[in-house]
Amino acid sequence: ETIQIIVLGVVAFGVGTASGLIIAKLMNKISKKAINPLIGAAGVSAVPMASRVVQSVGQKENPSNFLLMHAMGPNVSGVIGSAVAAGVMLSLFGG
């Protein structure tokens, strides 16, 4: 049972990260101002690890990148979204 929970968490983290990247790329197609797709990857609620990963990947690509504070915005938004979703689920399925 513990392994299933861990696997479910890893899958959820992967889907959240991939969804953020896809949405950021879609926003780049629609919007006139370019958005770094890595910022979309920070939208999962793994504070501050997702932001640190975005920072390290961005600096590997371009050493002058500093994305940490830009990544914290969607990161905190992910936490707020998770809290709202948990509240809705508790109200619907709670005892």
Side-chain angles (χ1 to χ4, degrees):
E1 195 172 297
T2 303
I3 297 297
Q4 289 175 340
I5 292 170
I6 291 171
V7 168
L8 185 61
V10 169
V11 168
F13 191 83
V15 168
T17 302
S19 299
L21 285 170
I22 291 167
I23 294 296
K25 287 185 177 259
L26 180 66
M27 286 175 65
N28 277 337
K29 298 281 186 199
I30 296 170
S31 140
K32 294 176 183 163
K33 188 173 182 182
I35 299 167
N36 190 335
L38 283 174
I39 299 301
V44 295
S45 59
V47 175
M49 199 60 209
S51 296
R52 289 183 187 167
V53 169
V54 166
Q55 170 68 22
S56 66
V57 170
Q59 279 195 323
K60 283 180 187 173
E61 184 67 31
N62 180 356
S64 68
N65 269 344
F66 190 75
L67 300 172
L68 186 62
M69 296 316 292
H70 298 289
M72 283 302 291
N75 208 205
V76 172
S77 296
V79 172
I80 294 168
S82 295
V84 169
V88 168
M89 288 183 68
L90 281 174
S91 69
L92 291 175
F93 304 115

